[in-house]
Amino acid sequence: PSSAEGVSSKPASPIYGVVLPDGYRQWEMVGVATEDAPLDELRAVVGNPIAMKAYRLGKLPFPDGAMLVKLAWKRQRSTEFPAATVPGAPTTVQVMVKDSKRYADSGGWGYGRFIDGQPVDAAQHQTCFACHNALVKARDDVFTRLAP
Amino acid sequence: PSSAEGVSSKPASPIYGVVLPDGYRQWEMVGVATEDAPLDELRAVVGNPIAMKAYRLGKLPFPDGAMLVKLAWKRQRSTEFPAATVPGAPTTVQVMVKDSKRYADSGGWGYGRFIDGQPVDAAQHQTCFACHNALVKARDDVFTRLAP
Ligand code: HEC
Ligand code: HEC
């Protein structure tokens, strides 16, 4: 079985060695977001059961084993209902995996950004912790709140 | 146990008698959307296991027992990251329940729109089938596609 911890044949992110977790598309929805042009995306963040439990308890930091995945799509006008925008082509899938020992240097989170299942380069992975930690350190480096 | 079929003490929608299904907030995400001003909302559609299975098989019509719930929130600028918009206050929760016999007159779907857990009036429930059937009849009256 592949995991961020174990031996895996899945492509892993540089710096962190994070892989796309099995079955994440079936995880529970944490929240949704849009990102303005030029990215112009619709996004959904899903969490594994450990992450969802922590969200519901409202407890920070997230415990080891928590995983968050952000799915993103180009945002496009609905052809059936023009007042709506809906997901177009998928862009990136991004992962955060909590392991406070392994990732002690990056706030306990390992990061991975994937395009078509392949991790992007190390330069991009140098930006993750910097941005998350600069902007939402007080929330354990996690932006997305549990949507009611 | 409350269900759209059984005896329930939950508030039910006029015309259809549809209630908010138990545990829908834990259901799998089908897709996300925005709605322009004046509604100015972010939305997520979730499905129960019967609905998700039908989506994955790509088979229409949805089988009896399929349920879809649309969550909606006011869309607001992220305070931490202004290029993003994120969920604000929840607005409506909308439900579609497939029961081809009970709801034979409305394409097999029963409809419910709830605000703060309470169903809205009959006049609003007269609009649901009219719009869905006019615009997406060829997709069993369901707008939202399974996002990749
Ligand atoms: C310039 C800022 C910035 C950078 C750089 C960045 N992120 Fe994020 N990230 C965000 C914002 C803002 C969100 C909140 C959701 C949204 O707006 O899409 C987010 C959300 C996430 C989420 C969902 C959990 C959460 O915190 O809400 C994951 C997972 C994630 N990012 C992974 C990554 C990875 C992996 C990288 C690097 C390869 C990265 N991020 C780089 C700004 C950034
Ligand atoms: C004027 C058109 C219109 C009316 C009226 C309408 N809907 Fe919808 N509905 C939509 C559109 C468009 C979507 C697709 C998602 C989005 O844009 O929010 C949708 C999506 C949904 C969904 C998610 C499943 C799907 O088809 O994508 C549910 C559940 C739903 N509506 C319930 C209702 C209920 C209940 C009512 C009446 C109380 C209602 N709708 C009235 C246009 C309409």
Side-chain angles (χ1 to χ4, degrees):
Chain A
S2 56
S3 82
E5 298 299 314
V7 177
S8 170
S9 57
K10 287 180 158 186
S13 64
I15 305 175
Y16 298 103
V18 165
V19 301
L20 280 175
D22 290 331
Y24 70 84
R25 184 61 184 79
Q26 277 76 54
W27 291 354
E28 236 178 271
M29 187 233 341
V30 180
V32 299
T34 65
E35 172 86 15
D36 292 349
L39 282 175
D40 200 21
E41 289 182 347
L42 279 170
R43 295 165 169 194
V45 175
V46 296
N48 73 350
I50 296 175
M52 296 314 294
K53 191 177 168 195
Y55 266 117
R56 296 220 158 85
L57 292 170
K59 272 203 166 182
L60 295 177
F62 284 85
D64 283 2
M67 297 195 217
L68 297 169
V69 173
K70 181 163 82 174
L71 299 98
W73 308 273
K74 279 289 169 192
R75 193 180 157 201
Q76 64 183 30
R77 279 284 142 202
S78 163
T79 49
E80 293 100 7
F81 197 79
T85 68
V86 295
T91 56
T92 58
V93 177
Q94 302 192 100
V95 185
M96 292 171 66
V97 178
K98 193 72 182 247
D99 183 333
S100 51
K101 287 202 188 100
R102 180 171 179 187
Y103 301 122
D105 293 345
S106 53
W109 292 104
Y111 290 84
R113 173 181 291 167
F114 299 85
I115 295 178
D116 285 332
Q118 297 303 316
V120 301
D121 64 17
Q124 288 192 47
H125 283 88
Q126 256 132 18
T127 68
C128 323
F129 171 63
C131 176
H132 281 241
N133 194 249
L135 297 181
V136 284
K137 189 191 174 79
R139 286 211 313 283
D140 195 27
D141 298 345
V142 172
F143 285 95
T144 303
R145 264 93 157 185
L146 182 62
Chain B
S2 56
S3 82
E5 297 302 312
V7 177
S8 170
S9 58
K10 286 179 159 188
S13 65
I15 304 175
Y16 298 103
V18 164
V19 302
L20 280 174
D22 290 332
Y24 70 85
R25 185 60 185 79
Q26 276 77 54
W27 291 355
E28 237 179 270
M29 186 231 347
V30 180
V32 299
T34 64
E35 172 86 15
D36 293 348
L39 281 175
D40 200 21
E41 289 182 347
L42 278 171
R43 295 163 170 195
V45 174
V46 296
N48 72 351
I50 296 175
M52 297 313 296
K53 192 178 168 193
Y55 266 117
R56 296 221 159 84
L57 292 171
K59 273 204 166 182
L60 293 178
F62 284 86
D64 283 2
M67 296 195 218
L68 297 168
V69 174
K70 181 164 82 172
L71 298 96
W73 309 272
K74 279 291 168 192
R75 192 178 158 203
Q76 64 183 30
R77 280 283 142 201
S78 163
T79 49
E80 293 99 8
F81 197 78
T85 67
V86 295
T91 55
T92 58
V93 177
Q94 302 192 101
V95 185
M96 290 171 67
V97 178
K98 193 74 181 247
D99 183 331
S100 52
K101 287 202 187 100
R102 178 171 178 186
Y103 302 122
D105 292 345
S106 54
W109 291 105
Y111 289 84
R113 173 181 290 167
F114 300 85
I115 296 179
D116 286 332
Q118 298 302 317
V120 301
D121 63 18
Q124 289 193 46
H125 282 87
Q126 256 134 19
T127 70
C128 322
F129 171 63
C131 176
H132 281 242
N133 194 249
L135 297 180
V136 284
K137 188 190 174 79
R139 286 212 312 284
D140 195 25
D141 299 344
V142 172
F143 285 94
T144 304
R145 265 93 156 183
L146 183 62

